[in-house]
Amino acid sequence: MTAATGKRLGKTLVQAGLITDDQMEEALAEAGDRSLATALVDKGFADDVAIARAVADQLGLTFVDLGIYEIDPNCATLLSIDLAHRYKVIPISLKGDELVVAMSDPANIFAIDDVRIVTGYEVRPVVATEKDLMATIDKFGAMRQDVGDLVEDLQEAVGSSDVDEDDDPDADDAEAPVAKLMNVIIGEAVRENAGDIYIEPQEKDMRIRYRVDGVCHEVVRSPKKLHRQLISRIKIASAMDIAEKRVPQDGRFGVMIHGSSVDFRVAVVPTVQGELCVMRLLRKDAILMSLADLGFLKEPMDALVGALEKPYGAILVTGPTGSGKSTTLYAAINETNEPTTNLITVEDPVEYRLEGLSQVQVNPKAGLTFASALRSILRQDPDTVMIGEIRDKETGTIAIEAALTGHLVLSTLHTNDAPSALTRLTEMGIEPFLSASALEVVVAQRLARRLCKECKEPYTPEAEALDRVGFPYEEGDIPQLFRAKGCKVCNDIGYKGRMGIHEVLVMDECLERLAVESASSEELQAAAIANGMTTLKQYGFAKVLRGDTSIEEILRVVV
């Protein structure tokens, strides 16, 4: 920190009334290599957020909380790590021809000039805390540095730009740069607890993204010519045909990372820019969860456990792709998987391989469909049958009939809410009187991000805002809620981990009668609510009241 920079900031804070002249002089005298802001915070004279807000107010600029701001990764990587550290700046977005740059000292005209020259954009400064800036710079710099070094090595290994991209790297060379690049991508995904890895060819480069807690974010971009090399390596690991680039392929492979076994389900699809590869991470510890670990409230949990204790009937879990239906089914299996029972599953694909039960992988090319597998399974005298998904009339009919003839059937269905499962089965061609008699419980599910316990911020919302979203509260008694803030623990996102939001419909005589009469899903929902069913939105708001998540997150996943 230069003396001039510290004095300038100090005078700004004194003018704002945040500190006194004596406190400024004392902090400047003891700052040493630290910035004045850090010295003031360490001595307890001011809070870092208050300092940043005061600077923003005095200069007529905007304060930005980097913990919750959605930073554009393409902008964040425009500056070198050294330059970003030197000036404590990071570009966060592009607004037209202006680059929005977060700074701790926006009065530093030398920093603004250098950023303008390096990036070629006009700079619009905004103010952020020094702590958040350094954490964000480190976050975007670490992965870029590792992958950047490997990309350089890989470029040397595969040669100059005139190399034939169809040539494949040596599959036996475990130390090849392409293998190292793949290991870094996989290792970082496991470290960040990602659910999916996307390797996407673009027009001029290759983009790598992770889906963390249900939200995608870009990790790095690399030269387009490295795309074929990386895809070939992944195909070799997944036992795919590396010469076939015209049709979709599926495969899987497993690795040991930090003593834990992680399986990857790989899907490669040809696009106009090249082959898109998506790798889903399947952690074995995820399917060892119990129903209690999934975030069920007491009454819905009791209803589901009661249905699982019955020797017959059908239990359906509904929701969109990626809503955790399979995890809930496996948790239910863990409740029923006893040495005294015969449990068989039919899946496409078999994501997790478990001990103590028989798992069947469907193979349509060989004639092994859900329906044909189910017919054979029912001759094996199973106590419990899990069907990966009811997709057609034939599978649904066999499943419903099995539930009516002394088997406990667990399966999934794609509907938006629980009551719609009954109308969906009818639309498939299954007689409504059969499905109404067989169904015991329908669980509609979403996954919502959980607020980071280390940094979630309490606040009192405005009554108008609560009324607008339909949040329940007593008039004159507005509850204290929590919102995302961001810290090092959650990588400045404000959320860490996910939990289930559930809508549990328990079949009764009223609902059975309505289903037989072919009532609409709206009529079924009204009847279920009258009988005490908690809707997805109500369930989510209950989690907000408990401080587990935010209103914004519930509205994102439910509405």
Coordinates of all heavy atoms in Angstrom, one line a residue, residues 12 16 50-63 127:
T12 N -11.5 9.9 2.4 CA -12.8 9.6 1.9 C -13.6 9.1 3.1 O -14.8 9.5 3.3 CB -12.8 8.6 0.8 OG1 -12.0 9.1 -0.3 CG2 -14.2 8.2 0.3
A16 N -16.9 10.7 5.1 CA -18.1 10.0 5.2 C -18.6 9.8 6.7 O -19.7 9.4 7.0 CB -18.0 8.6 4.6
A50 N -18.9 -1.7 5.6 CA -19.2 -0.3 5.9 C -18.2 0.6 5.1 O -18.6 1.6 4.6 CB -19.2 0.0 7.4
I51 N -16.9 0.2 5.1 CA -15.9 0.9 4.4 C -16.2 1.0 2.9 O -16.2 2.0 2.3 CB -14.5 0.3 4.6 CG1 -14.1 0.5 6.1 CG2 -13.5 0.9 3.7 CD1 -12.8 -0.3 6.4
A52 N -16.5 -0.2 2.3 CA -16.8 -0.2 0.9 C -18.1 0.6 0.5 O -18.1 1.3 -0.5 CB -17.0 -1.7 0.4
R53 N -19.1 0.5 1.4 CA -20.3 1.3 1.1 C -20.1 2.8 1.2 O -20.6 3.6 0.5 CB -21.4 0.9 2.1 CG -22.0 -0.5 1.8 CD -23.2 -0.8 2.7 NE -23.8 -2.1 2.5 CZ -24.6 -2.4 1.5 NH1 -25.0 -1.5 0.6 NH2 -25.1 -3.7 1.4
A54 N -19.2 3.2 2.2 CA -18.9 4.6 2.4 C -18.2 5.1 1.2 O -18.4 6.2 0.7 CB -18.1 4.8 3.7
V55 N -17.2 4.3 0.7 CA -16.4 4.7 -0.5 C -17.4 4.9 -1.7 O -17.3 5.8 -2.5 CB -15.3 3.7 -0.8 CG1 -14.7 4.0 -2.2 CG2 -14.3 3.7 0.3
A56 N -18.3 3.9 -1.9 CA -19.2 4.0 -3.0 C -20.1 5.2 -2.9 O -20.4 5.9 -3.9 CB -20.1 2.7 -3.0
D57 N -20.6 5.5 -1.7 CA -21.5 6.7 -1.5 C -20.8 8.0 -1.8 O -21.3 8.9 -2.4 CB -22.1 6.7 -0.1 CG -23.1 5.6 0.2 OD1 -23.6 5.0 -0.8 OD2 -23.3 5.2 1.3
Q58 N -19.6 8.1 -1.3 CA -18.8 9.3 -1.5 C -18.5 9.6 -2.9 O -18.4 10.7 -3.4 CB -17.5 9.3 -0.7 CG -17.7 9.4 0.8 CD -18.2 10.8 1.2 OE1 -19.4 11.0 1.6 NE2 -17.4 11.8 1.1
L59 N -18.2 8.5 -3.7 CA -17.8 8.7 -5.1 C -19.0 8.5 -6.1 O -18.8 8.6 -7.3 CB -16.8 7.7 -5.5 CG -15.4 7.8 -4.7 CD1 -14.5 6.7 -5.1 CD2 -14.8 9.1 -4.9
G60 N -20.2 8.3 -5.5 CA -21.4 8.2 -6.3 C -21.4 6.9 -7.2 O -21.9 6.9 -8.3
L61 N -20.8 5.8 -6.6 CA -20.7 4.6 -7.4 C -21.6 3.5 -6.7 O -22.2 3.8 -5.7 CB -19.3 4.1 -7.4 CG -18.3 5.0 -8.0 CD1 -16.9 4.4 -7.9 CD2 -18.6 5.2 -9.5
T62 N -21.7 2.4 -7.3 CA -22.5 1.3 -6.8 C -21.7 0.3 -6.0 O -20.6 0.0 -6.4 CB -23.2 0.5 -8.0 OG1 -23.9 1.4 -8.8 CG2 -24.1 -0.6 -7.5
F63 N -22.3 -0.1 -4.8 CA -21.6 -1.2 -4.0 C -22.2 -2.5 -4.5 O -23.4 -2.7 -4.7 CB -22.0 -1.0 -2.6 CG -21.6 -2.2 -1.7 CD1 -20.2 -2.4 -1.4 CD2 -22.5 -3.1 -1.3 CE1 -19.8 -3.4 -0.6 CE2 -22.1 -4.2 -0.5 CZ -20.8 -4.4 -0.2
V127 N -17.8 -0.8 -6.4 CA -17.1 -1.0 -5.2 C -17.4 -2.3 -4.5 O -18.6 -2.7 -4.4 CB -17.3 0.2 -4.2 CG1 -16.4 0.1 -3.0 CG2 -17.1 1.5 -4.9

